Amino acid sequence: MKLVSWNVNGFRACLNKGFEDIFNEMNADIFCIQETKMQPEQADFSPEGYFKYFFSAIKKGYSGTAVYTKQKPFNVIFGIEDKHMDEGRVITCEYEKFYLICCYTPNAQNELKRIDYRMEFEDDLRNYMLKLNKIKPIILCGDLNVAHTEIDLKNPKSNRGNAGFSDEERGKFTELLDAGFTDSWRYAHPDITGVYSWWSYRFNARKNNAGWRIDYFVISDRIKENIIETDIYTEIYGSDHCPVALDIEI
């Protein structure tokens, strides 16, 4: 089963940058999108053979997630146990053998202005995942807005303490992994450096590969041996992020 996740930084804009061709070429069983920045009726993309689910923020042009899936889920849940409903950040699809969670984690913002909310979100998401994990394994994907270790970004020293590389955010990611989950790409590529999924639009960051790996597939430990392949498609443009993928037998 192939799953793809991509923060498109505005779905309508990305549709004008070749998204449909990329989507068709990927031929994913499940394709998850973050930062749609739109309401469901604002973009007409309904590929044949897919069910689609959108969760939009109340604030127009902000945040939002979407899932395109070939197999219809048994159940679709928005938010985290009736919390975090305003910004359209979490969609859970329940299938026969696993849960799929598409997530766009809040940015802590400059000077960590939103760190308290970020910590609350992290704790709620982890506790939610622990409950679901008792029932069946989980595949969490999306822009989790954290570079976990120093090899997950180009300039760790100068970014220490900044949003996305603060001790608080990195610590919460460690807590998640310690709770019974695996960073699938790092599991498959434990020592690889210089492979990132997001680059700032400033300072020619992408040209210079001054990036961060902040887009993930995090899976239940008990299915990590089922990983067939993981990919970060650094050659694909259309957003300040590139797509990431997981091929897994489940």
Side-chain angles (χ1 to χ4, degrees), residues 25-71:
E25 185 177 344
M26 293 278 190
N27 191 30
D29 296 289
I30 304 173
F31 199 117
C32 295
I33 299 171
Q34 302 86 45
E35 205 168 1
T36 58
K37 294 184 176 180
M38 50 164 278
Q39 304 302 307
E41 68 278 3
Q42 290 183 296
D44 182 17
F45 183 69
S46 301
E48 185 176 353
Y50 285 87
F51 299 91
K52 64 177 181 178
Y53 303 93
F54 276 75
F55 189 28
S56 299
I58 293 174
K59 181 181 177 182
K60 299 291 178 66
Y62 178 72
S63 189
T65 47
V67 175
Y68 287 85
T69 172
K70 289 182 178 179
Q71 181 182 349

Short mmCIF file of all heavy atoms in Angstrom, two decimals, residues 25-71:
data_model
loop_
_atom_site.label_atom_id
_atom_site.label_comp_id
_atom_site.label_asym_id
_atom_site.label_seq_id
_atom_site.Cartn_x
_atom_site.Cartn_y
_atom_site.Cartn_z
N GLU A 25 0.64 10.59 -11.27
CA GLU A 25 1.88 9.82 -11.39
C GLU A 25 2.16 9.01 -10.12
O GLU A 25 2.63 7.88 -10.18
CB GLU A 25 3.05 10.74 -11.70
CG GLU A 25 4.36 10.02 -11.96
CD GLU A 25 5.49 10.95 -12.34
OE1 GLU A 25 5.22 12.12 -12.70
OE2 GLU A 25 6.64 10.51 -12.27
N MET A 26 1.86 9.61 -8.98
CA MET A 26 2.08 8.92 -7.70
C MET A 26 1.19 7.68 -7.58
O MET A 26 1.61 6.66 -7.05
CB MET A 26 1.79 9.86 -6.53
CG MET A 26 2.75 11.02 -6.42
SD MET A 26 4.25 10.54 -5.59
CE MET A 26 5.01 12.13 -5.35
N ASN A 27 -0.05 7.81 -8.03
CA ASN A 27 -1.01 6.70 -7.96
C ASN A 27 -1.05 6.09 -6.56
O ASN A 27 -1.00 4.87 -6.37
CB ASN A 27 -0.67 5.62 -9.00
CG ASN A 27 -1.77 4.59 -9.14
OD1 ASN A 27 -2.96 4.89 -8.95
ND2 ASN A 27 -1.41 3.37 -9.48
N ALA A 28 -1.16 6.96 -5.56
CA ALA A 28 -1.16 6.50 -4.17
C ALA A 28 -2.51 5.89 -3.81
O ALA A 28 -3.55 6.28 -4.34
CB ALA A 28 -0.86 7.67 -3.24
N ASP A 29 -2.47 4.94 -2.89
CA ASP A 29 -3.72 4.41 -2.35
C ASP A 29 -4.38 5.45 -1.44
O ASP A 29 -5.61 5.55 -1.39
CB ASP A 29 -3.44 3.12 -1.58
CG ASP A 29 -2.92 2.02 -2.48
OD1 ASP A 29 -3.72 1.50 -3.29
OD2 ASP A 29 -1.73 1.70 -2.40
N ILE A 30 -3.56 6.19 -0.72
CA ILE A 30 -4.04 7.30 0.13
C ILE A 30 -3.11 8.47 -0.08
O ILE A 30 -1.89 8.34 -0.01
CB ILE A 30 -4.07 6.91 1.62
CG1 ILE A 30 -4.92 5.64 1.85
CG2 ILE A 30 -4.60 8.06 2.46
CD1 ILE A 30 -4.86 5.12 3.28
N PHE A 31 -3.69 9.64 -0.35
CA PHE A 31 -2.91 10.86 -0.57
C PHE A 31 -3.42 11.91 0.42
O PHE A 31 -4.57 12.33 0.35
CB PHE A 31 -3.09 11.35 -2.01
CG PHE A 31 -2.02 12.31 -2.48
CD1 PHE A 31 -1.18 11.97 -3.53
CD2 PHE A 31 -1.87 13.56 -1.90
CE1 PHE A 31 -0.20 12.85 -3.99
CE2 PHE A 31 -0.90 14.44 -2.34
CZ PHE A 31 -0.06 14.08 -3.39
N CYS A 32 -2.55 12.32 1.33
CA CYS A 32 -2.92 13.27 2.38
C CYS A 32 -2.31 14.64 2.09
O CYS A 32 -1.18 14.73 1.62
CB CYS A 32 -2.43 12.78 3.74
SG CYS A 32 -3.21 11.25 4.28
N ILE A 33 -3.07 15.68 2.39
CA ILE A 33 -2.66 17.05 2.08
C ILE A 33 -2.78 17.89 3.35
O ILE A 33 -3.74 17.76 4.11
CB ILE A 33 -3.54 17.65 0.96
CG1 ILE A 33 -3.40 16.83 -0.33
CG2 ILE A 33 -3.18 19.11 0.70
CD1 ILE A 33 -4.39 17.24 -1.40
N GLN A 34 -1.81 18.76 3.55
CA GLN A 34 -1.87 19.73 4.65
C GLN A 34 -1.76 21.16 4.09
O GLN A 34 -1.24 21.36 3.00
CB GLN A 34 -0.75 19.50 5.66
CG GLN A 34 -0.74 18.12 6.29
CD GLN A 34 0.02 17.13 5.45
OE1 GLN A 34 1.11 17.42 4.96
NE2 GLN A 34 -0.53 15.92 5.27
N GLU A 35 -2.23 22.08 4.90
CA GLU A 35 -2.23 23.51 4.58
C GLU A 35 -2.98 23.77 3.26
O GLU A 35 -2.45 24.40 2.34
CB GLU A 35 -0.80 24.08 4.55
CG GLU A 35 -0.79 25.57 4.83
CD GLU A 35 0.58 26.15 5.08
OE1 GLU A 35 1.59 25.42 5.04
OE2 GLU A 35 0.64 27.38 5.33
N THR A 36 -4.20 23.30 3.21
CA THR A 36 -5.03 23.51 2.02
C THR A 36 -5.40 24.98 1.83
O THR A 36 -5.59 25.43 0.72
CB THR A 36 -6.32 22.68 2.10
OG1 THR A 36 -7.04 23.05 3.29
CG2 THR A 36 -6.01 21.18 2.12
N LYS A 37 -5.54 25.70 2.94
CA LYS A 37 -5.86 27.14 2.91
C LYS A 37 -7.13 27.45 2.11
O LYS A 37 -7.19 28.43 1.37
CB LYS A 37 -4.70 27.96 2.31
CG LYS A 37 -3.43 27.96 3.14
CD LYS A 37 -2.39 28.88 2.51
CE LYS A 37 -1.14 28.99 3.33
NZ LYS A 37 -0.13 29.89 2.70
N MET A 38 -8.15 26.62 2.27
CA MET A 38 -9.36 26.81 1.48
C MET A 38 -10.54 26.08 2.12
O MET A 38 -10.37 25.24 2.99
CB MET A 38 -9.17 26.26 0.07
CG MET A 38 -8.63 24.85 0.03
SD MET A 38 -8.82 24.02 -1.55
CE MET A 38 -10.51 23.47 -1.38
N GLN A 39 -11.72 26.43 1.67
CA GLN A 39 -12.92 25.69 1.98
C GLN A 39 -13.14 24.64 0.90
O GLN A 39 -12.68 24.81 -0.24
CB GLN A 39 -14.12 26.64 2.07
CG GLN A 39 -13.94 27.78 3.08
CD GLN A 39 -13.67 27.29 4.49
OE1 GLN A 39 -14.42 26.50 5.02
NE2 GLN A 39 -12.58 27.77 5.10
N PRO A 40 -13.83 23.55 1.19
CA PRO A 40 -13.95 22.44 0.22
C PRO A 40 -14.49 22.85 -1.14
O PRO A 40 -14.08 22.29 -2.17
CB PRO A 40 -14.91 21.48 0.93
CG PRO A 40 -14.75 21.76 2.37
CD PRO A 40 -14.47 23.23 2.47
N GLU A 41 -15.39 23.83 -1.17
CA GLU A 41 -16.01 24.21 -2.44
C GLU A 41 -15.14 25.14 -3.28
O GLU A 41 -15.49 25.46 -4.43
CB GLU A 41 -17.36 24.90 -2.17
CG GLU A 41 -17.27 26.26 -1.49
CD GLU A 41 -17.13 26.20 0.02
OE1 GLU A 41 -17.04 25.07 0.57
OE2 GLU A 41 -17.10 27.27 0.66
N GLN A 42 -13.96 25.51 -2.78
CA GLN A 42 -13.14 26.49 -3.48
C GLN A 42 -12.19 25.89 -4.51
O GLN A 42 -11.55 26.62 -5.24
CB GLN A 42 -12.35 27.33 -2.47
CG GLN A 42 -13.22 28.28 -1.66
CD GLN A 42 -12.39 29.13 -0.73
OE1 GLN A 42 -11.74 28.64 0.19
NE2 GLN A 42 -12.39 30.43 -0.96
N ALA A 43 -12.09 24.58 -4.55
CA ALA A 43 -11.22 23.94 -5.54
C ALA A 43 -11.90 22.66 -6.03
O ALA A 43 -12.37 21.86 -5.23
CB ALA A 43 -9.85 23.62 -4.94
N ASP A 44 -11.94 22.51 -7.32
CA ASP A 44 -12.59 21.35 -7.91
C ASP A 44 -11.54 20.34 -8.34
O ASP A 44 -10.97 20.42 -9.42
CB ASP A 44 -13.44 21.78 -9.12
CG ASP A 44 -14.19 20.60 -9.73
OD1 ASP A 44 -14.30 19.57 -9.05
OD2 ASP A 44 -14.65 20.72 -10.88
N PHE A 45 -11.26 19.41 -7.44
CA PHE A 45 -10.34 18.32 -7.77
C PHE A 45 -10.94 17.03 -7.21
O PHE A 45 -10.89 16.78 -6.01
CB PHE A 45 -8.96 18.57 -7.20
CG PHE A 45 -7.96 17.49 -7.57
CD1 PHE A 45 -7.52 17.37 -8.89
CD2 PHE A 45 -7.48 16.60 -6.62
CE1 PHE A 45 -6.62 16.36 -9.24
CE2 PHE A 45 -6.58 15.60 -6.96
CZ PHE A 45 -6.15 15.49 -8.28
N SER A 46 -11.53 16.26 -8.07
CA SER A 46 -12.22 15.03 -7.68
C SER A 46 -11.79 13.90 -8.60
O SER A 46 -12.53 13.48 -9.50
CB SER A 46 -13.74 15.22 -7.74
OG SER A 46 -14.16 16.28 -6.90
N PRO A 47 -10.58 13.38 -8.40
CA PRO A 47 -10.06 12.34 -9.30
C PRO A 47 -10.90 11.07 -9.22
O PRO A 47 -11.36 10.68 -8.14
CB PRO A 47 -8.64 12.11 -8.78
CG PRO A 47 -8.67 12.57 -7.36
CD PRO A 47 -9.63 13.71 -7.32
N GLU A 48 -11.07 10.44 -10.35
CA GLU A 48 -11.86 9.23 -10.42
C GLU A 48 -11.21 8.12 -9.59
O GLU A 48 -10.00 7.94 -9.59
CB GLU A 48 -11.99 8.77 -11.88
CG GLU A 48 -12.91 7.58 -12.07
CD GLU A 48 -13.07 7.23 -13.54
OE1 GLU A 48 -12.58 8.00 -14.40
OE2 GLU A 48 -13.69 6.19 -13.82
N GLY A 49 -12.05 7.43 -8.84
CA GLY A 49 -11.55 6.31 -8.06
C GLY A 49 -11.14 6.66 -6.64
O GLY A 49 -10.64 5.80 -5.91
N TYR A 50 -11.36 7.91 -6.23
CA TYR A 50 -10.98 8.34 -4.89
C TYR A 50 -12.18 8.92 -4.14
O TYR A 50 -13.00 9.64 -4.72
CB TYR A 50 -9.89 9.41 -4.94
CG TYR A 50 -8.52 8.90 -5.29
CD1 TYR A 50 -8.12 8.76 -6.62
CD2 TYR A 50 -7.60 8.54 -4.31
CE1 TYR A 50 -6.86 8.30 -6.96
CE2 TYR A 50 -6.33 8.08 -4.63
CZ TYR A 50 -5.96 7.96 -5.96
OH TYR A 50 -4.72 7.49 -6.29
N PHE A 51 -12.25 8.61 -2.86
CA PHE A 51 -13.12 9.32 -1.94
C PHE A 51 -12.30 10.48 -1.36
O PHE A 51 -11.08 10.35 -1.16
CB PHE A 51 -13.58 8.41 -0.82
CG PHE A 51 -14.38 7.23 -1.28
CD1 PHE A 51 -13.74 6.02 -1.57
CD2 PHE A 51 -15.76 7.32 -1.44
CE1 PHE A 51 -14.47 4.92 -2.01
CE2 PHE A 51 -16.50 6.22 -1.88
CZ PHE A 51 -15.86 5.03 -2.17
N LYS A 52 -12.95 11.61 -1.10
CA LYS A 52 -12.20 12.76 -0.57
C LYS A 52 -12.87 13.30 0.70
O LYS A 52 -14.09 13.30 0.82
CB LYS A 52 -12.06 13.86 -1.61
CG LYS A 52 -13.35 14.52 -2.06
CD LYS A 52 -13.06 15.65 -3.05
CE LYS A 52 -14.34 16.34 -3.51
NZ LYS A 52 -14.06 17.46 -4.44
N TYR A 53 -12.01 13.76 1.63
CA TYR A 53 -12.47 14.29 2.90
C TYR A 53 -11.65 15.54 3.21
O TYR A 53 -10.42 15.49 3.23
CB TYR A 53 -12.30 13.25 4.01
CG TYR A 53 -13.02 11.96 3.71
CD1 TYR A 53 -12.35 10.90 3.07
CD2 TYR A 53 -14.38 11.81 3.99
CE1 TYR A 53 -13.02 9.73 2.76
CE2 TYR A 53 -15.05 10.63 3.69
CZ TYR A 53 -14.36 9.59 3.07
OH TYR A 53 -15.02 8.43 2.75
N PHE A 54 -12.34 16.65 3.44
CA PHE A 54 -11.70 17.92 3.74
C PHE A 54 -12.05 18.35 5.16
O PHE A 54 -13.18 18.15 5.62
CB PHE A 54 -12.15 19.00 2.76
CG PHE A 54 -11.39 19.03 1.47
CD1 PHE A 54 -11.61 18.07 0.49
CD2 PHE A 54 -10.44 20.01 1.23
CE1 PHE A 54 -10.91 18.09 -0.70
CE2 PHE A 54 -9.73 20.04 0.03
CZ PHE A 54 -9.96 19.07 -0.93
N PHE A 55 -11.09 18.96 5.83
CA PHE A 55 -11.32 19.58 7.14
C PHE A 55 -10.69 20.95 7.09
O PHE A 55 -9.46 21.09 7.13
CB PHE A 55 -10.70 18.72 8.24
CG PHE A 55 -11.07 19.14 9.64
CD1 PHE A 55 -12.25 19.78 9.93
CD2 PHE A 55 -10.20 18.85 10.69
CE1 PHE A 55 -12.59 20.15 11.23
CE2 PHE A 55 -10.52 19.21 12.00
CZ PHE A 55 -11.72 19.86 12.27
N SER A 56 -11.52 21.97 6.98
CA SER A 56 -11.03 23.33 6.77
C SER A 56 -11.08 24.14 8.05
O SER A 56 -11.93 23.90 8.92
CB SER A 56 -11.86 24.03 5.68
OG SER A 56 -11.75 23.35 4.45
N ALA A 57 -10.19 25.11 8.16
CA ALA A 57 -10.20 26.03 9.29
C ALA A 57 -11.38 26.99 9.19
O ALA A 57 -11.85 27.31 8.09
CB ALA A 57 -8.89 26.81 9.33
N ILE A 58 -11.84 27.45 10.33
CA ILE A 58 -12.88 28.49 10.34
C ILE A 58 -12.34 29.76 9.68
O ILE A 58 -13.03 30.40 8.89
CB ILE A 58 -13.35 28.76 11.78
CG1 ILE A 58 -14.08 27.53 12.34
CG2 ILE A 58 -14.25 29.99 11.83
CD1 ILE A 58 -14.45 27.65 13.79
N LYS A 59 -11.11 30.11 9.99
CA LYS A 59 -10.47 31.27 9.39
C LYS A 59 -10.19 30.99 7.92
O LYS A 59 -9.55 30.00 7.57
CB LYS A 59 -9.16 31.58 10.13
CG LYS A 59 -8.40 32.78 9.61
CD LYS A 59 -7.11 32.96 10.41
CE LYS A 59 -6.28 34.11 9.87
NZ LYS A 59 -5.01 34.27 10.63
N LYS A 60 -10.65 31.83 7.04
CA LYS A 60 -10.49 31.61 5.61
C LYS A 60 -9.01 31.72 5.21
O LYS A 60 -8.26 32.56 5.72
CB LYS A 60 -11.31 32.63 4.82
CG LYS A 60 -12.82 32.54 5.08
CD LYS A 60 -13.40 31.27 4.50
CE LYS A 60 -14.89 31.14 4.78
NZ LYS A 60 -15.69 32.16 4.10
N GLY A 61 -8.59 30.88 4.29
CA GLY A 61 -7.22 30.95 3.77
C GLY A 61 -6.16 30.53 4.75
O GLY A 61 -5.00 30.96 4.65
N TYR A 62 -6.52 29.62 5.67
CA TYR A 62 -5.58 29.26 6.74
C TYR A 62 -5.66 27.77 7.02
O TYR A 62 -6.75 27.19 7.03
CB TYR A 62 -5.93 30.05 8.01
CG TYR A 62 -5.09 29.76 9.22
CD1 TYR A 62 -3.78 30.20 9.30
CD2 TYR A 62 -5.62 29.06 10.31
CE1 TYR A 62 -3.00 29.95 10.42
CE2 TYR A 62 -4.85 28.80 11.44
CZ TYR A 62 -3.54 29.25 11.48
OH TYR A 62 -2.76 28.99 12.59
N SER A 63 -4.52 27.14 7.22
CA SER A 63 -4.42 25.77 7.69
C SER A 63 -5.23 24.81 6.81
O SER A 63 -5.29 24.97 5.60
CB SER A 63 -4.85 25.71 9.17
OG SER A 63 -4.60 24.46 9.74
N GLY A 64 -5.82 23.80 7.39
CA GLY A 64 -6.68 22.86 6.66
C GLY A 64 -5.96 21.60 6.21
O GLY A 64 -4.77 21.62 5.86
N THR A 65 -6.70 20.49 6.19
CA THR A 65 -6.18 19.20 5.77
C THR A 65 -7.17 18.51 4.84
O THR A 65 -8.35 18.88 4.79
CB THR A 65 -5.92 18.28 6.99
OG1 THR A 65 -7.06 18.30 7.85
CG2 THR A 65 -4.69 18.72 7.77
N ALA A 66 -6.69 17.52 4.10
CA ALA A 66 -7.56 16.76 3.20
C ALA A 66 -6.98 15.37 3.00
O ALA A 66 -5.75 15.17 3.09
CB ALA A 66 -7.70 17.46 1.85
N VAL A 67 -7.85 14.41 2.73
CA VAL A 67 -7.44 13.04 2.45
C VAL A 67 -8.16 12.56 1.20
O VAL A 67 -9.39 12.68 1.09
CB VAL A 67 -7.77 12.09 3.62
CG1 VAL A 67 -7.44 10.65 3.25
CG2 VAL A 67 -7.01 12.49 4.88
N TYR A 68 -7.40 12.03 0.25
CA TYR A 68 -7.94 11.33 -0.92
C TYR A 68 -7.59 9.86 -0.75
O TYR A 68 -6.42 9.51 -0.56
CB TYR A 68 -7.33 11.87 -2.21
CG TYR A 68 -7.85 13.23 -2.61
CD1 TYR A 68 -7.28 14.39 -2.09
CD2 TYR A 68 -8.92 13.36 -3.49
CE1 TYR A 68 -7.75 15.65 -2.45
CE2 TYR A 68 -9.40 14.61 -3.87
CZ TYR A 68 -8.83 15.74 -3.34
OH TYR A 68 -9.31 16.98 -3.70
N THR A 69 -8.59 8.98 -0.82
CA THR A 69 -8.36 7.58 -0.55
C THR A 69 -9.14 6.68 -1.51
O THR A 69 -10.32 6.92 -1.77
CB THR A 69 -8.73 7.24 0.91
OG1 THR A 69 -8.68 5.82 1.12
CG2 THR A 69 -10.11 7.75 1.30
N LYS A 70 -8.46 5.68 -2.04
CA LYS A 70 -9.13 4.75 -2.96
C LYS A 70 -10.14 3.87 -2.24
O LYS A 70 -11.19 3.53 -2.78
CB LYS A 70 -8.09 3.88 -3.67
CG LYS A 70 -7.25 4.62 -4.70
CD LYS A 70 -6.28 3.68 -5.38
CE LYS A 70 -5.47 4.38 -6.45
NZ LYS A 70 -4.50 3.46 -7.12
N GLN A 71 -9.80 3.48 -1.03
CA GLN A 71 -10.69 2.63 -0.24
C GLN A 71 -11.49 3.50 0.72
O GLN A 71 -10.92 4.32 1.45
CB GLN A 71 -9.89 1.60 0.54
CG GLN A 71 -10.74 0.65 1.38
CD GLN A 71 -9.91 -0.33 2.18
OE1 GLN A 71 -8.72 -0.46 1.97
NE2 GLN A 71 -10.55 -1.03 3.10
#
